[in-house]
Amino acid sequence: MDKKSYSIQYFGSIVICFLLLCCKPEKTQNLEYGSVLESLINQEDTDGDKKITIEDKGPKKFEFIDKNGKSHIIEGTYHLSNLLQELAIVKKEDTISMDRITEPPSIRISRLIKTRFWDNLTRSIDKNGLEKVLEDTKSDTDTLRLYIPFDDKDAIAYFQSLVPEFQKLDVVILPKEITPEYVKTLNNKPGILNLAHSKQGKNYQGVPFVVPGGRFNEMYGWDSYFESVGLLIDDREDLAMAMADNFSYQIKHYGKILNANRTYYLTRTQPPFFSSLLVEIYEKNPQVSKDWLAHNLKMVIKEYNTVWMQDGARLTNTGLNRFYAEGIGMPPETEEGHFDFILKKHANKHKSDFKDFKQMYQEGKIRDEALDEYFTHDRSMRESGHDTSNRLDNICADLNTVGLNSLLYKYEIDIAYVIKNVFEDSFEIGDHKYTSQFWLKQAEKRKKLMNSLMWNEEKGAFYDYNFMTQKQTQIESATNYYPLWVGICSKKQANLMVESLFKNLVQKGGVASTTDLADNANAEAPQRQWDYPNGWAPHQMLIWRGLHMYGFTSQNQELVYRWLWMITKNAVNYNGTIPEKYDVVRCTHKVYAEYGNVGTEFDYITPSGFGWMNASYQLGLRFLNDEYIEKLNNLTDPDKIFKKTNK
């Protein structure tokens, strides 16, 4: 069935479009869609948030005349919100397209992602993009600081020349050695870190990058990989390659792929996905420049060797890896009061007034080794990308995690793949010549260690390994299923893992991050956003690809459908909202744990959705067959299609 021929009856809404013969052409000659938008808002946006949602109490029926003199009656939340969005973006010379208003929701969401959202999320650090990049809703300072590596001479000269044009701009040159002590001195002087550029003559251009969206206006580590998956699907290889170039710049100048390119992230990396990005760019376009691949492969190998495989930091005595972020004191990017729960415990221990203790600890006037250790774990948890989770709270730096070691296994097989297929099985870095066999042996070694320490035959699952206690954590987490994606599992293991996945984590709206780990006995205990009942795009995407690779087609279709149905349902009911995360149990974007939900604040039409959520939608549509896409457009409840979840 042609996707354009799907029924236009969504969520009980009906559109009736007809010509009123009594309309006189002269009534439309001076028609301004701005006045139509105002009338629509006045009638239908009863809660005044500049959106039309199922929570508004208007009549859900609106009549308007377009610029061709045609009168239309629009009914139902979805179609009225589409009209609102089209009125907000329509150009003066354009007419409203009824096809856009009656567009099947999956087609509409996918189209907006491809044609609007990616461009709206794109930034560059140069004269044209500087003001937008330096905006930071998370900072209350008027000074816009740009930090530049000491050895990037072109960037230093270029941005210093721009200071007279940007009155608030403060160009700061970083020292050669960036220590945790130095980074702490920047806590009260936060700013953006420069990224890659191209230079032809005097023409300096920042290499573009895609930001997550909302208040996250910088380039984030693992977000960038998942965004690039969507970019490659939408034929934006240029942006995906630009992301890789910015990864390389960060490794060269900052020593790692940063949590994000802001000063308070200088001591933290993120989950490693650079090799995956490189392989997927190559597979999308095997004709990509060999020189470009060579440069970026060298940086992948450098990151692997210097960030992950140096003894004493992220490589442990088990031969497996952990997250380990350096730093001093409390992570400064957190909101006021975020750590009060833990600080109060230590203040009581010291028999100190809470406010006094908090200030003295921040200023280094009081020492508490247990609290220092807590913040080492906390920064490491943030380095893992899972900020925050009870799975990792106060323990992260002691764990060889399944997720991290799966990703490094993939680095090893990806590097072997590129060397063999692109560089005729010989790749030189300085005096060292690498072959694919070297990397495959590294991968096999890691696989054996993971099976020895992390695999639990009785449970049919991999678990994080605590190398301090020498025990598995046995906490159910979506990250336990990364081995499916990277191909570590035997077929027998895969069968057991899929059974465990559906038993423990599958909810109505997709895969939950964990089982319920909340401290329900303590009313003051924080609700962790990376725990049950929330679900996140990167977990879904990796699990889908893993199921697909191992041939679990029906299970994969189900999980994709559940996730896309939840996104589509919320977009239909809430004016196109596509946020950072979802509650997969209640199937809603109304998530209030810790930081709320980014991507829900906008007027009329979301300008950009949210980066990795956009990518998950585009990838999910690639997996769904036509039958399920039709059901998706009709918002058919997944529990009416599949076995109802028992959660």
Side-chain angles (χ1 to χ4, degrees):
M1 179 184 292
D2 188 332
K3 294 175 185 176
K4 292 184 179 179
S5 67
Y6 294 140
S7 167
I8 63 171
Q9 298 181 7
Y10 312 122
F11 209 61
S13 301
I14 302 174
V15 174
I16 305 173
C17 303
F18 61 91
L19 176 65
L20 292 181
L21 298 175
C22 60
C23 283
K24 296 180 181 180
E26 59 265 29
K27 288 186 177 180
T28 67
Q29 288 177 354
N30 298 317
L31 177 67
E32 292 291 339
Y33 278 139
S35 64
V36 179
L37 175 61
E38 184 179 356
S39 296
L40 177 62
I41 283 288
N42 288 339
Q43 176 181 299
E44 296 292 342
D45 178 25
T46 59
D47 60 8
D49 65 352
K50 296 183 180 178
K51 306 179 188 69
I52 297 174
T53 74
I54 59 170
E55 294 176 1
D56 287 304
K57 306 303 181 184
K60 297 294 171 73
K61 182 177 181 180
F62 182 78
E63 181 177 355
F64 80 100
I65 302 172
D66 68 22
K67 290 185 178 180
N68 292 325
K70 292 183 178 180
S71 179
H72 307 272
I73 295 177
I74 310 300
E75 294 185 88
T77 298
Y78 174 61
H79 298 104
L80 287 167
S81 69
N82 285 353
L83 174 61
L84 175 70
Q85 294 166 45
E86 294 302 316
L87 287 168
I89 64 177
V90 71
K91 297 177 181 178
K92 289 183 178 179
E93 66 273 14
D94 290 342
T95 58
I96 294 291
S97 168
M98 294 305 298
D99 287 342
R100 294 284 172 86
I101 295 171
T102 63
E103 198 169 22
S106 73
I107 295 175
R108 179 176 180 82
I109 293 168
S110 182
R111 176 180 61 79
L112 288 173
I113 290 169
K114 182 173 183 176
T115 61
R116 289 179 62 84
F117 293 178
W118 294 132
D119 287 337
N120 288 336
L121 289 171
T122 301
R123 306 283 187 272
S124 64
I125 306 180
D126 51 27
K127 181 178 180 179
N128 293 330
L130 194 58
E131 199 161 334
K132 195 170 187 179
V133 166
L134 293 177
E135 291 175 353
D136 186 8
T137 61
K138 302 184 291 298
S139 174
D140 56 5
T141 178
D142 287 336
T143 302
L144 304 177
R145 297 184 186 88
L146 177 64
Y147 287 80
I148 303 175
F150 80 99
D151 55 349
D152 191 346
K153 305 303 181 185
D154 286 338
I156 292 170
Y158 173 75
F159 287 108
Q160 286 180 337
S161 74
L162 295 181
V163 171
E165 297 182 51
F166 295 85
Q167 294 182 354
K168 295 181 179 180
L169 178 62
D170 182 14
V171 176
V172 184
I173 301 171
L174 290 165
K176 182 176 182 179
E177 185 178 2
I178 300 174
T179 64
E181 290 76 15
Y182 170 74
V183 174
K184 186 181 180 183
T185 69
L186 304 181
N187 286 353
N188 295 322
K189 298 179 289 185
I192 197 83
L193 300 168
N194 194 41
L195 292 175
H197 64 269
S198 62
K199 191 169 183 288
Q200 295 180 341
K202 295 183 178 181
N203 184 25
Y204 181 107
Q205 285 189 315
V207 172
F209 56 97
V210 175
V211 301
R215 69 190 184 103
F216 300 119
N217 193 39
E218 50 273 306
M219 181 179 176
Y220 277 80
W222 68 327
D223 293 67
S224 297
Y225 164 71
F226 290 100
E227 290 158 358
S228 295
V229 171
L231 292 170
L232 290 170
I233 290 171
D234 286 335
D235 299 319
R236 295 301 306 270
E237 296 147 72
D238 58 326
L239 278 176
M241 292 175 70
M243 299 285 241
D245 288 335
N246 279 311
F247 278 172
S248 285
Y249 182 93
Q250 292 179 50
I251 294 167
K252 177 181 178 182
H253 292 289
Y254 305 122
K256 60 182 76 69
I257 295 173
L258 300 168
N259 190 149
N261 63 313
R262 288 201 177 273
T263 48
Y264 38 76
Y265 294 135
L266 276 165
T267 61
R268 280 182 245 159
T269 186
Q270 281 251 289
F273 283 93
F274 194 1
S275 73
S276 298
L277 175 58
L278 206 60
V279 166
E280 289 175 45
I281 290 170
Y282 168 70
E283 290 181 340
K284 173 77 173 180
N285 178 19
Q287 304 307 314
V288 68
S289 164
K290 193 172 181 178
D291 289 341
W292 182 87
L293 281 171
H295 169 72
N296 283 285
L297 182 60
K298 286 178 182 178
M299 301 312 291
V300 168
I301 293 172
K302 180 178 181 180
E303 182 205 11
Y304 175 89
N305 285 331
T306 61
V307 175
W308 299 108
M309 299 305 289
Q310 286 188 343
D311 290 334
R314 296 176 179 90
L315 178 63
T316 71
N317 58 13
T318 62
L320 295 174
N321 294 82
R322 64 171 173 172
F323 291 106
Y324 187 78
E326 296 180 300
I328 298 172
M330 291 183 282
E333 78 275 14
T334 54
E335 296 176 355
E336 182 64 28
H338 182 82
F339 291 111
D340 286 359
F341 175 71
I342 188 71
L343 289 169
K344 285 178 181 177
K345 293 181 179 180
H346 289 269
N348 292 336
K349 182 178 66 176
H350 286 267
K351 298 180 180 180
S352 173
D353 175 78
F354 168 65
K355 289 185 178 179
D356 291 343
F357 174 81
K358 183 176 181 180
Q359 182 175 349
M360 287 190 293
Y361 180 77
Q362 286 179 296
E363 294 174 353
K365 295 178 180 178
I366 189 170
R367 294 298 306 274
D368 186 313
E369 290 185 7
L371 192 53
D372 290 344
E373 184 178 353
Y374 175 86
F375 285 118
T376 295
H377 288 304
D378 184 86
R379 286 188 297 272
S380 301
M381 173 172 59
R382 295 173 191 281
E383 182 172 90
S384 80
H386 296 78
D387 51 342
T388 63
S389 168
N390 283 314
R391 175 176 70 94
L392 302 172
D393 186 60
N394 205 23
I395 197 174
C396 186
D398 293 345
L399 298 179
N400 296 139
T401 63
V402 176
L404 173 58
N405 285 280
S406 296
L407 297 178
L408 291 173
Y409 172 87
K410 194 167 189 300
Y411 260 51
E412 291 151 357
I413 61 172
D414 284 345
I415 294 169
Y417 170 83
V418 175
I419 289 175
K420 183 175 182 179
N421 288 278
V422 179
F423 298 103
E424 299 175 355
D425 213 12
S426 179
F427 190 72
E428 295 184 11
I429 300 179
D431 296 331
H432 198 104
K433 182 180 290 186
Y434 288 108
T435 66
S436 61
Q437 283 303 308
F438 171 85
W439 293 100
L440 291 175
K441 287 179 181 177
Q442 293 291 100
E444 186 61 27
K445 178 182 175 183
R446 187 180 300 275
K447 179 178 178 179
K448 287 180 179 178
L449 287 170
M450 290 181 68
N451 274 308
S452 172
L453 299 178
M454 296 175 169
W455 175 250
N456 188 306
E457 185 73 20
E458 181 182 352
K459 299 279 189 178
F462 286 91
Y463 292 110
D464 297 339
Y465 180 76
N466 188 321
F467 58 86
M468 298 297 289
T469 64
Q470 299 183 358
K471 294 179 180 179
Q472 296 174 354
T473 62
Q474 296 195 15
I475 291 175
E476 303 298 336
S477 166
T479 57
N480 294 351
Y481 298 90
Y482 284 18
L484 286 169
W485 177 54
V486 304
I488 286 176
C489 315
S490 67
K491 184 61 177 176
K492 178 184 176 182
Q493 286 177 318
N495 287 330
L496 292 171
M497 289 174 69
V498 172
E499 183 179 340
S500 175
L501 172 67
F502 276 78
K503 175 184 176 182
N504 292 304
L505 295 180
V506 174
Q507 305 290 340
K508 184 170 185 175
V511 178
S513 294
T514 65
T515 48
D516 192 352
L517 304 176
D519 182 2
N520 296 315
N522 192 330
E524 293 187 2
Q527 300 297 308
R528 307 293 187 181
Q529 64 174 352
W530 281 89
D531 289 351
Y532 175 94
N534 300 328
W536 292 76
H539 294 162
Q540 318 301 316
M541 294 169 74
L542 298 189
I543 288 172
W544 297 344
R545 284 180 154 183
L547 292 175
H548 176 74
M549 188 173 75
Y550 277 91
F552 294 101
T553 303
S554 62
Q555 293 92 334
N556 190 39
Q557 291 272 307
E558 175 179 345
L559 294 189
V560 171
Y561 184 87
R562 288 183 179 280
W563 182 254
L564 295 197
W565 170 81
M566 181 176 57
I567 296 175
T568 306
K569 174 177 172 287
N570 278 267
V572 165
N573 290 343
Y574 289 93
N575 211 111
T577 294
I578 300 178
E580 175 192 27
K581 56 184 174 284
Y582 288 93
D583 177 332
V584 294
V585 177
R586 296 188 301 126
C587 300
T588 177
H589 68 279
K590 295 187 176 184
V591 177
Y592 303 109
E594 296 183 301
Y595 305 106
N597 206 353
V598 179
T600 60
E601 298 296 324
F602 58 88
D603 294 339
Y604 308 121
I605 178 172
T606 175
S608 51
F610 196 86
W612 59 23
M613 198 64 70
N614 300 341
S616 75
Y617 204 85
Q618 303 300 66
L619 178 63
L621 287 177
R622 283 286 185 96
F623 283 122
L624 281 190
N625 61 35
D626 287 349
E627 176 188 354
Y628 284 131
I629 291 178
E630 183 175 6
K631 292 180 185 297
L632 181 65
N633 284 321
N634 287 306
L635 296 182
T636 305
D637 190 305
D639 286 343
K640 293 182 179 179
I641 305 172
F642 310 106
K643 181 181 178 181
K644 189 173 182 179
T645 57
N646 295 316
K647 310 297 186 295

